[in-house]
């Protein structure tokens, strides 16, 4: 996110704007925690993970009167354009904050979103800031886990974040060369998840003779509605039934929950570039008089012109309608969008081809 803050600051200033940073998101906005952003403040921040401005959950922002207070703070500061860097909740807040029906005859306010969430659950953007760094962290962790798994012929279930979205689990499973990916979009009941794991373990152990290929790595998205402890005990019990002659210490699974490790760390080169490009496009959209838009990275579908247009500032970026983004995000999360169906379906082909 720091790359986006840096780009928005430097480009905004070059376009003649005065640029401020709001600390801790909407919570900081309500407390008037607003600081000037000068080139010195954003120098050297590209390599830092997270955000120099801080972040906070702010549930009260769902209330109209709380947003009225936020608009008063902005108006008192003379701020008329806001770049909002965040996920579903932050962008929904932005849409309401600049809703003309809520603003009424009050001072004008424009918003431009920048998608940032390791979950990659936002609609109409191919990627959000943070996803690539998170995937790299998962791959590095799984490569390390694979050493123990290989040495001891073990099965590891590695849980990764992603909220209700399986994107991180799916993509990192391919990048790691895992044996199975478990993700909520598959909609599988608990019993079939357990069976799938057990079948995979038995298949790997029987088909691969070479010691270095006998390990089993399973990547599970946190959104799969069965906790890792419960999953482990069910899988272990079933493995003991199915392979009664196997050495129990070898066949027993191990579990690693990567948790917040996946959420931080030094941003990858790609994320720094993505943040810079999206920050640039968002601030330029505001300067050009746009509002209720989000800077997007190569939407994975062709967009009709009323939904989005390719950015003139960067041909890899699009400026898409914020309301359409939030609608598509909902469709992605409920599995209604063609992209969600494709993501889930493509894994059947991947498994058939034994790419996993
Ligand atoms: O949305 C990003 C995310 O990291 C999810 O993957 C995860 O479920 C959640 O946030 C964790 O939130 P918190 O840090 O508030 O527990």
């Amino acid at each position: 996110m720091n790359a986006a803050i840096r780009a928005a600051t430097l480009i905004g200033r070059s376009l003649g704007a005065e640029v401020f940073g709001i600390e801790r998101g909407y919570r900081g906005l309500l407390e008037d925690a607003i600081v000037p952003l000068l080139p010195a403040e954003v120098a050297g921040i590209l390599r830092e993970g997270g955000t120099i401005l801080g972040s906070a959950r702010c549930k009260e922002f769902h209330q109209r009167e709380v947003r009225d207070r936020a608009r008063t703070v902005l108006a008192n500061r003379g701020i008329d354009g806001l770049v909002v860097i965040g996920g579903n909740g932050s962008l929904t807040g932005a849409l309401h904050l600049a809703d003309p029906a809520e603003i009424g005859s009050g001072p004008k306010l424009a918003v431009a979103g920048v998608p940032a969430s390791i979950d990659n659950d936002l609609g109409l953007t191919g990627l959000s800031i943070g996803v690539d760094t998170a995937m790299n962290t998962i791959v590095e962790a799984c490569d390390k886990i694979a050493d123990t798994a290989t040495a001891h012929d073990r099965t590891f279930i590695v849980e990764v974040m992603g909220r209700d979205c399986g994107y991180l689990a799916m993509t990192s499973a391919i990048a790691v060369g895992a044996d199975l990916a478990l993700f909520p979009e598959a909609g599988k009941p608990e019993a079939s998840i357990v069976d799938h794991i057990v079948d995979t373990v038995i298949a790997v152990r029987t088909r691969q003779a070479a010691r270095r290929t006998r390990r089993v790595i399973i990547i599970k998205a946190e959104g799969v509605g069965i906790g890792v402890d419960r999953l482990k005990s069910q899988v272990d019990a079933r493995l003991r039934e199915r392979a009664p002659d196997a050495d129990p210490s070898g066949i027993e699974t191990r579990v690693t929950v990567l948790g917040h490790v996946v959420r931080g760390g030094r941003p990858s080169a790609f994320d720094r570039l993505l943040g810079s490009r999206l920050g640039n496009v968002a601030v330029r959209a505001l300067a050009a008089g746009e509002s209720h838009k989000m800077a997007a990275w190569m939407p994975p579908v062709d967009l009709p012109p009323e939904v989005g247009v390719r950015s003139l500032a960067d041909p890899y970026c699009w400026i898409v309608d914020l309301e359409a983004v939030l609608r598509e995000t909902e469709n992605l999360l409920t599995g209604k969008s063609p992209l969600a169906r494709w993501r889930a379906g493509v894994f059947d082909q991947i498994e058939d081809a034994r790419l996993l």
Side-chain angles (χ1 to χ4, degrees), residues 13-86:
R13 286 175 56 83
S14 79
L15 296 172
E18 223 183 322
V19 183
F20 295 88
I22 300 174
E23 295 178 333
R24 289 170 290 108
Y26 295 129
R27 181 159 305 289
L29 172 56
L30 292 168
E31 294 163 9
D32 196 21
I34 299 179
V35 293
L37 283 181
L38 301 168
E41 266 79 48
V42 297
I45 67 171
L46 275 173
R47 73 179 74 158
E48 286 178 35
T51 153
I52 57 160
L53 292 173
S55 181
R57 308 244 183 247
C58 184
K59 290 235 159 21
E60 314 87 276
F61 217 70
H62 289 292
Q63 298 160 29
R64 161 77 191 263
E65 56 279 15
V66 172
R67 293 194 294 272
D68 284 342
R69 265 170 47 212
R71 280 186 284 265
T72 306
V73 173
L74 290 170
N76 290 343
R77 290 272 189 169
I79 293 173
D80 59 3
L82 203 58
V83 174
V84 176
I85 307 167

Side-chain angles (χ1 to χ4, degrees), residues 57 117-119 121 161-164 168 222 260 263:
R57 308 244 183 247
S117 166
I118 61 163
D119 306 340
D121 59 353
M161 276 191 169
R163 209 179 283 271
D164 300 320
L168 275 183
E222 69 171 340
H260 287 81
R263 213 176 185 226

Side-chain angles (χ1 to χ4, degrees), residues 148-347:
T148 301
T150 307
H152 290 265
D153 277 356
R154 272 190 193 150
T155 296
F156 272 80
I157 300 173
V158 182
E159 185 180 273
V160 300
M161 276 191 169
R163 209 179 283 271
D164 300 320
C165 180
Y167 184 89
L168 275 183
M170 296 180 195
T171 49
S172 54
I174 297 173
V176 162
D179 300 282
L180 183 62
L182 303 170
F183 47 91
E185 291 82 347
K188 289 197 176 135
E190 191 171 308
S192 105
I193 292 173
V194 172
D195 284 345
H196 206 163
I197 296 177
V198 172
D199 290 346
T200 304
V201 174
I202 289 174
V204 171
R205 282 171 175 269
T206 42
R207 86 170 168 245
Q208 292 174 342
R211 148 157 290 281
R212 68 180 179 76
T213 55
R214 276 204 305 250
R215 99 298 185 258
V216 182
I217 304 268
I218 292 160
I219 303 197
K220 170 192 176 289
E222 69 171 340
V224 172
I226 167 169
V228 279
D229 292 337
R230 186 177 162 86
L231 191 57
K232 172 183 162 50
S233 69
Q234 296 207 13
V235 168
D236 287 349
R238 192 71 57 82
L239 280 170
R240 281 195 296 274
E241 273 166 38
R242 295 262 308 263
D245 300 332
D247 169 8
S249 69
I251 199 139
E252 198 184 66
T253 54
R254 292 283 187 278
V255 166
T256 303
V257 177
L258 295 181
H260 287 81
V261 170
V262 169
R263 213 176 185 226
R266 193 159 278 215
S268 67
F270 180 82
D271 258 329
R272 298 180 198 197
L273 200 60
L274 182 68
S276 303
R277 296 177 94 156
L278 295 178
N280 167 39
V281 167
V283 83
R284 282 185 193 277
L286 284 183
E290 302 262 19
S291 184
H292 296 77
K293 296 289 190 294
M294 184 188 83
W297 179 254
M298 293 197 290
V301 286
D302 288 334
L303 298 181
E306 68 278 11
V307 169
V309 291
R310 202 179 280 278
S311 160
L312 292 176
D314 187 332
Y316 283 87
C317 296
W318 286 63
I319 300 166
V320 293
D321 182 70
L322 192 49
E323 228 174 318
V325 168
L326 296 171
R327 260 198 319 272
E328 185 56 21
T329 300
E330 181 68 21
N331 289 338
L332 256 181
L333 291 174
T334 53
K336 278 193 220 133
S337 84
L339 180 64
R341 286 200 294 271
W342 176 82
R343 281 180 182 173
V346 79
F347 255 75

